[in-house]
Amino acid sequence: AVVRDVLWCFQGIDGRRVRRSTAGDEAYAVDASLGLAARDRVKELCELGWLYRKVARFCEGGGDKGAPRRGGLVVAALRSALSDELAEFYRLVAVLEAQLAAGQKNAHSGEEDAASRLTVRRLAVWTVEPRERLAVMAALCDAVR
């Protein structure tokens, strides 16, 4: 359940145990029933969702609700390139969701293989490079604004 919530967080969707905090756009609330180490790891992974939302808002129109798109051809080209990069991120999330579903299917059929099961730790490993890429893209979005 926690892994699914983290995958939803990557896409900007709130789950049962991981939600965007009402305190601000940058904060996440993680269910207190998780252990301290698991909560810390989940919060680190939630950074990916925050970065995704930041870049996606820029690609959609600059982030200001109701404001017209600004910037001309160079910014339009940047938005297009960032959208292409987000498509790669969507592919990664789809692969991770398929891996989670396969692990759950195997668990229900009694063929659970711990080596193939998707865990929070494995998510952390899978998302090192995408987090770095999204951080650079978010920095570009901030610089253009």
Side-chain angles (χ1 to χ4, degrees), residues 98-137:
Q99 191 174 16
L100 177 65
Q104 289 176 341
K105 180 181 173 186
N106 289 342
H108 290 307
S109 67
E111 302 172 11
E112 185 172 4
D113 180 14
S116 66
R117 203 178 70 175
L118 189 62
T119 63
V120 173
R121 182 175 295 198
R122 288 191 176 125
L123 271 179
V125 172
W126 272 87
T127 59
V128 170
E129 183 183 340
R131 187 178 318 152
E132 291 171 356
R133 292 175 73 116
L134 279 172
V136 170
M137 291 189 291

Side-chain angles (χ1 to χ4, degrees), residues 57-76:
R57 272 195 312 253
F58 178 81
C59 290
E60 290 169 359
D64 299 328
K65 293 181 181 176
R69 286 187 167 213
R70 294 177 273 171
L73 292 177
V74 173
V75 174

